[in-house]
Amino acid sequence: MTTTPVQITIRRPDDWHVHLRDGAMMRAVLPCTARQFARAIVMPNLVPPVTTAAAAVGYRARIVAALPAGADFTPLMTAYLTDETEPQEIARGHADGVFTAVKLYPAHATTNSAYGVTAIDKVMRVLERMAALGVPLLVHGEATDPEVDIFDREAVFIDHTLIPLRRHLPELRIVLEHITTQEAADYVEHGGDNIAATITAHHLTINRNAIFQGGIRPHLYCLPIAKREKHRLALRRAAASGDRHFFLGTDSAPHAAPTKEAACGCAGIFTAATALELYAGVFEEKGALDRFEAFASLNGPAFYRLLVNEERITLRREPWTAPSTIGDGKLAVHPFRAGETLRWRVA
Ligand code: DOR
Ligand code: ZN
């Protein structure tokens, strides 16, 4: 019989998908990410979106200026792909070390995606250039046809868009972001060297029942929406396998509480305050703490062709209470698992 160790030390992890926002909201949430992660892939869905290298340079400087004193954190920037993006803008931004990757939002799929891509054909010249250069494409993988059931949008996107795209452009390196289904996990696991997926802490811990438990729970609403239990179990198997195709991406997406607790609440779950602790809990439950470092700290850099972090981080099995809010006043955000007792704690 094996017993769970009381602490675990791993290379410092990275968050391969996060929303840091801008201005006062960024200043409120950034310390949560910087306390645990060495680097993060920063989503470009600001208003207006980060579509140029110049905009990304400015945004990166604002993030760095907002870091708490002594924080050791590097933001990795992404370009927001639109129908109008020029291949040259991406090529130059990548060569200059500004763009680590490019994000594809299908138009109207999610928060601030109105400027997203209306049809894959419109961005094919950009994707061909990225394939030639090895620039990763990060995909919000949901079909946007309103006829498609919200719980089927990821699986339909894989069949109707992702598979044809990869057949046309097999060299393109793709991260299917925040996967939520068994179909996605199976597809990525067997998809070869040029595909990987991020998995969030919340999709590993809740299924769709949680969104409606005793009433509607706006803080558990995100896109892609949580699916039924069999999908959560498939994601947990994928993450805990240590397989190189899967790595940590929180998709932490803060929205001020009143914009979620509303007649039409925003999509997004804010996990940065509790993410690493929750992931560790999942790996403990799976008896896979020995594979936690692969998922959190090794597989991501390998796919992105970056060095792994040299620093270490220790998590202890020591109960603590997750914060009930982050930020003040109108911008206060409700963290995932707010006020609940968590088993693991970053030392
Ligand atoms: O739930 C989500 N929130 N999904 C996304 O894709 C975007 C994000 C946000 O920016 O709030
Ligand atoms: Zn996201």
Side-chain angles (χ1 to χ4, degrees):
M1 209 185 79
T2 53
T3 50
T4 303
V6 286
Q7 68 173 51
I8 162 174
T9 298
I10 59 170
R11 282 182 193 271
R12 201 149 166 244
D14 305 299
D15 184 351
W16 298 100
H17 183 131
V18 71
H19 298 268
L20 294 179
R21 312 302 191 208
D22 210 344
M25 179 63 94
M26 174 177 71
R27 287 191 290 277
V29 300
L30 180 61
C32 296
T33 291
R35 86 187 157 96
Q36 51 192 325
F37 300 111
R39 297 170 288 196
I41 286 276
V42 181
M43 288 298 122
N45 63 333
L46 302 182
V47 185
V50 181
T51 54
T52 64
V57 167
Y59 184 29
R60 182 170 63 187
R62 296 196 295 282
I63 296 168
V64 170
L67 281 170
D72 178 10
F73 174 76
T74 304
L76 304 174
M77 309 311 288
T78 57
Y80 184 116
L81 191 59
T82 75
D83 289 355
E84 274 75 50
T85 303
E86 283 299 330
Q88 189 54 24
E89 183 68 18
I90 301 302
R92 206 181 312 116
H94 183 65
D96 290 348
V98 180
F99 290 140
T100 299
V102 174
K103 177 68 188 265
L104 187 161
Y105 288 104
H108 307 294
T110 185
T111 307
N112 300 341
S113 62
Y115 298 92
V117 173
T118 60
I120 281 285
D121 291 344
K122 303 227 166 147
V123 293
M124 200 51 78
R125 283 186 316 125
V126 183
L127 300 183
E128 285 166 0
R129 188 72 167 271
M130 288 168 57
L133 295 171
V135 182
L137 178 72
L138 316 183
V139 177
H140 183 107
E142 287 198 283
T144 50
D145 179 347
E147 302 277 294
V148 178
D149 189 277
I150 188 169
F151 295 101
D152 296 334
R153 286 180 189 167
E154 184 173 279
V156 170
F157 180 89
I158 293 171
D159 286 343
H160 291 191
T161 306
L162 187 59
I163 290 175
L165 169 62
R166 296 196 66 222
R167 209 169 279 143
H168 176 73
L169 212 53
E171 326 79 73
L172 183 62
R173 310 184 65 251
I174 296 178
V175 183
L176 189 55
E177 298 285 358
H178 41 55
I179 60 169
T180 59
T181 57
Q182 182 167 9
E183 288 87 343
D186 287 347
Y187 177 73
V188 169
E189 183 185 345
H190 302 109
D193 291 343
N194 289 342
I195 191 145
T198 52
I199 307 181
T200 76
H202 49 285
H203 290 115
L204 292 170
T205 45
I206 62 165
N207 64 29
R208 66 191 194 179
N209 282 352
I211 307 167
F212 307 104
Q213 199 185 354
I216 192 149
R217 305 273 179 171
H219 295 287
L220 300 183
Y221 172 59
C222 66
L223 290 170
I225 196 161
K227 307 299 191 294
R228 51 169 80 239
E229 178 65 357
K230 74 163 187 184
H231 297 290
R232 185 182 77 102
L233 296 178
L235 300 177
R236 288 165 70 95
R237 281 194 299 275
S241 70
D243 184 284
R244 69 193 160 97
H245 291 92
F246 303 106
F247 42 84
L248 189 161
T250 62
D251 197 14
S252 180
H255 291 273
T259 67
K260 288 192 66 70
E261 298 163 6
C264 185
C266 296
I269 298 182
F270 175 62
T271 50
T274 48
L276 202 55
E277 295 85 349
L278 288 165
Y279 282 115
V282 170
F283 277 73
E284 178 193 4
E285 285 155 12
K286 291 290 291 174
L289 280 171
D290 57 330
R291 277 165 257 163
F292 187 39
E293 186 175 49
F295 177 76
S297 316
L298 305 179
N299 295 347
F303 187 83
Y304 276 87
R305 298 174 174 161
L306 295 170
L307 296 174
V308 297
N309 299 311
E310 285 306 326
E311 317 84 69
R312 303 292 194 275
I313 194 168
T314 295
L315 287 120
R316 280 210 194 96
R317 211 146 144 277
E318 171 186 312
W320 66 292
T321 307
S324 51
T325 54
I326 294 289
D328 304 314
K330 277 201 235 145
L331 285 186
V333 179
H334 186 94
F336 187 62
R337 297 299 194 224
E340 294 182 26
T341 303
L342 301 187
R343 263 196 326 279
W344 287 86
R345 177 170 215 169
V346 175

